[in-house]
Amino acid sequence: MAKIGRNEPCPCGSEKKYKKCCLGGEPATKVDYQRLNRTWHELMNNLMEFVVRELGSTGFELARGDFFADSGWEPSAANADELGGVMFWPWFFFNWYLEPEDLEKGDTAGDLPAETPPAQLYLERNWRGMNKLHRELCTAALHTPYSFREVVRVQAGSGLLCRDLFTGVEEWISEHQATYYAEPGEILYNKLIRTRGHSMIVGYAPIRIPQGQKPRIVRLRSDIRGHFSVIDEEALTELGETIRTFFLLLYSLLRQTPILTNNDGEDLSLRTMYFQIDSPQEAFDALHSLCCEQSRQELLSQAQVDNTGRLGKVRIPWSREKGGENPLDEVDLLGEIHIEGTSLTADVDSQPRELKLRREIETRLGNGARYQGTNVASQEDLRLQARESSSPDSTEDTESDSMDSPDVLEAAAEKIRAHWQDWIDTPLPALGGITPREAVRDSDGRESVEALLREGETISPGNGLHEAQTEGVQRARRELGLDGMGASE
């Protein structure tokens, strides 16, 4: 694809040099951000109509295949929708094109020439009918790559000061909406255009990347430096496919919902089975041997009996012995059985354990136990419960919580401080398997370690322990010689 030289006449028709016009050198503000933004959306709508009419579904399918191809990741429908309007379409219109070898093997999109983005074909066919600002925006967007940018400062309702993590260039970005949720230290993956004194975000990833992922980006930058003497936007354009693939792998990692499992590796779901039984004593006699850690007599010693001495209520832990030289020293708790009158409930944490325990109960009790049903809490239910229980508005009674004890709090605080002291000399996957002390010997390593420390400062280990966390991070920063690189920098 032919590129416009910085000193060549700007194709928008202004008769100025490209670097002084649509490339972003002109400081004029005749057209404010709101008008630029509105005109940009008009242009995107026009391009969508053009692509549907001229390229058809074939062009879209080819571009979509190229967008995800090298990542080896197939997004869910929800992920594809999330990446669609805000990231894929600007990339499709302005960054995607067919290679000559694509045409040779029969991959065509209408009559789109090789090495020609759809927006360039649109410009060529509609130049005379387009107004000047549409031409400026379309031309500017054809020559900017996606990149990772770290938020340095936010001015609400106005814009962001961002630093490109590859080129090192700091740039003020005219942006209104993002200023109400973006925070300093967060990393954005986006595409900019520069025109009429404004730099604007015109394509962006729908996630904000935390500081803990910055070392991955720094390592990629280090790899790029091994092939390019200078990393500038021309280099980023050439590396567009590599950087996009890297982002998609990072996106899939950040969007991946962790699967909770029990100690057998089974998907976690809390399940309560309900049975009607004929006799609590008969049920206890048949089931007490499912507990390997307490004898029959020990279980009965904690049971409730009525005035006549008949068993009324008892709990039976369902457990198994762990392997080892002395397996009786430790057991795995698999579930719990509760007998009360003619009702029996059994709690387990996975479907396989539910099926196994139900089979045990029905085999041992026969017609003396009649299954009524199972209540299941999904993984999403468990996460919701965890969020609610950790909320400061939670109404649960915490007076009996041992963490309220000053002695326990101090012991926990000391463990946190010790963790950060040990962390300094712990090999970390995020640093490529070396320790923070080793990593800070070069500038890339220092930047990566500082990112991890900044993220550490944002993590709350629990009520009453934030001060210990902050203190531990600051001690580590001082020992590593990074005390001048705090989160406020």
Side-chain angles (χ1 to χ4, degrees), residues 340-404:
E340 184 171 3
T342 58
S343 295
L344 182 151
T345 60
D347 297 318
V348 292
D349 61 9
S350 71
Q351 185 181 38
R353 288 181 179 177
E354 176 197 358
L355 298 176
K356 184 175 181 180
L357 184 55
R358 179 180 173 182
R359 186 165 56 248
E360 287 282 358
I361 292 171
E362 292 179 336
T363 299
R364 294 177 182 224
L365 288 176
N367 294 331
R370 294 164 296 282
Y371 174 69
Q372 303 296 300
T374 299
N375 182 56
V376 180
S378 68
Q379 297 216 352
E380 186 55 38
D381 293 332
L382 299 179
R383 294 187 183 95
L384 180 60
Q385 291 172 16
R387 287 195 295 269
E388 290 176 345
S389 65
S390 63
S391 169
D393 298 327
S394 174
T395 58
E396 290 187 17
D397 181 11
T398 59
E399 291 182 359
S400 61
D401 190 341
S402 63
M403 283 302 293
D404 286 344

Side-chain angles (χ1 to χ4, degrees), residues 395-467:
T395 58
E396 290 187 17
D397 181 11
T398 59
E399 291 182 359
S400 61
D401 190 341
S402 63
M403 283 302 293
D404 286 344
S405 163
D407 291 340
V408 174
L409 275 173
E410 181 51 38
E414 189 53 41
K415 284 187 178 180
I416 290 171
R417 288 189 283 266
H419 159 77
W420 285 105
Q421 185 62 40
D422 294 340
W423 180 86
I424 293 172
D425 295 300
T426 300
L428 302 177
L431 299 176
I434 64 175
T435 69
R437 194 185 299 277
E438 294 169 319
V440 296
R441 294 171 183 168
D442 63 53
S443 59
D444 282 355
R446 291 171 69 86
E447 188 175 354
S448 295
V449 171
E450 175 56 31
L452 297 177
L453 290 169
R454 289 181 68 176
E455 183 171 68
E457 288 177 318
T458 67
I459 297 173
S460 175
N463 291 337
L465 296 173
H466 180 72
E467 185 177 343

Side-chain angles (χ1 to χ4, degrees), residues 82-387:
E82 186 177 47
L83 290 168
V86 295
M87 182 176 168
F88 170 78
W89 290 113
W91 172 84
F92 176 32
F93 294 153
F94 299 102
N95 295 79
W96 175 78
Y97 53 84
L98 291 167
E99 300 282 1
E101 51 265 34
D102 294 326
L103 298 179
E104 291 174 6
K105 66 181 182 182
D107 289 341
T108 60
D111 53 0
L112 183 70
E115 300 184 339
T116 304
Q120 183 173 331
L121 183 64
Y122 173 79
L123 267 177
E124 292 172 358
R125 293 188 175 180
N126 296 279
W127 184 270
R128 292 184 179 277
M130 294 172 66
N131 68 46
K132 183 174 183 292
L133 186 52
H134 276 84
R135 292 199 300 267
E136 286 182 25
L137 294 174
C138 194
T139 301
L142 278 167
H143 297 279
T144 58
Y146 281 81
S147 189
F148 290 93
R149 294 179 171 90
E150 182 176 18
V151 179
V152 177
R153 188 171 73 248
V154 178
Q155 186 173 327
S158 177
L160 312 166
L161 179 64
C162 293
R163 179 187 300 113
D164 190 307
L165 291 179
F166 291 123
T167 67
V169 173
E170 286 194 1
E171 185 168 8
W172 181 260
I173 299 173
S174 299
E175 168 60 42
H176 292 183
Q177 185 176 356
T179 62
Y180 294 105
Y181 57 79
E183 297 182 359
E186 291 179 329
I187 298 168
L188 312 176
Y189 179 70
N190 55 30
K191 169 184 173 72
L192 302 182
I193 60 170
R194 304 172 182 88
T195 187
R196 302 200 177 191
H198 291 275
S199 293
M200 292 174 50
I201 298 173
V202 295
Y204 61 93
I207 57 172
R208 290 167 286 162
I209 301 166
Q211 281 283 303
Q213 299 299 326
K214 186 176 178 180
R216 296 175 184 266
I217 302 171
V218 171
R219 288 205 301 275
L220 176 61
R221 183 182 68 198
S222 179
D223 291 341
I224 292 173
R225 283 175 178 160
H227 298 86
F228 290 81
S229 56
V230 176
I231 304 179
D232 53 17
E233 290 213 339
E234 186 174 350
L236 295 183
T237 298
E238 187 173 338
L239 291 164
E241 187 174 319
T242 298
I243 295 172
R244 185 181 70 257
T245 297
F246 173 86
F247 162 75
L248 289 172
L249 293 173
L250 187 59
Y251 171 89
S252 66
L253 174 68
L254 294 173
R255 276 290 185 255
Q256 187 176 49
T257 302
I259 301 299
L260 308 176
T261 62
N262 61 21
N263 53 2
D264 286 330
E266 300 160 348
D267 288 356
L268 198 66
S269 61
L270 300 187
R271 314 169 85 88
T272 301
M273 294 180 283
Y274 298 89
F275 295 85
Q276 284 293 314
I277 56 176
D278 293 332
S279 164
Q281 186 65 56
E282 290 178 4
F284 174 77
D285 291 339
L287 301 174
H288 74 82
S289 62
L290 290 172
C291 177
C292 71
E293 58 182 326
Q294 298 180 64
S295 68
R296 180 179 188 277
Q297 202 57 42
E298 287 173 325
L299 292 171
L300 285 174
S301 68
Q302 304 170 49
Q304 294 181 11
V305 296
D306 61 19
N307 293 334
T308 65
R310 289 184 300 184
L311 183 65
K313 182 178 180 180
V314 67
R315 167 183 169 272
I316 305 172
W318 176 34
S319 56
R320 69 181 175 203
E321 299 174 352
K322 285 186 176 179
E325 294 181 2
N326 188 2
L328 291 178
D329 283 346
E330 291 186 314
V331 298
D332 284 326
L333 182 64
L334 306 178
E336 286 191 347
I337 300 168
H338 298 268
I339 299 171
E340 184 171 3
T342 58
S343 295
L344 182 151
T345 60
D347 297 318
V348 292
D349 61 9
S350 71
Q351 185 181 38
R353 288 181 179 177
E354 176 197 358
L355 298 176
K356 184 175 181 180
L357 184 55
R358 179 180 173 182
R359 186 165 56 248
E360 287 282 358
I361 292 171
E362 292 179 336
T363 299
R364 294 177 182 224
L365 288 176
N367 294 331
R370 294 164 296 282
Y371 174 69
Q372 303 296 300
T374 299
N375 182 56
V376 180
S378 68
Q379 297 216 352
E380 186 55 38
D381 293 332
L382 299 179
R383 294 187 183 95
L384 180 60
Q385 291 172 16
R387 287 195 295 269

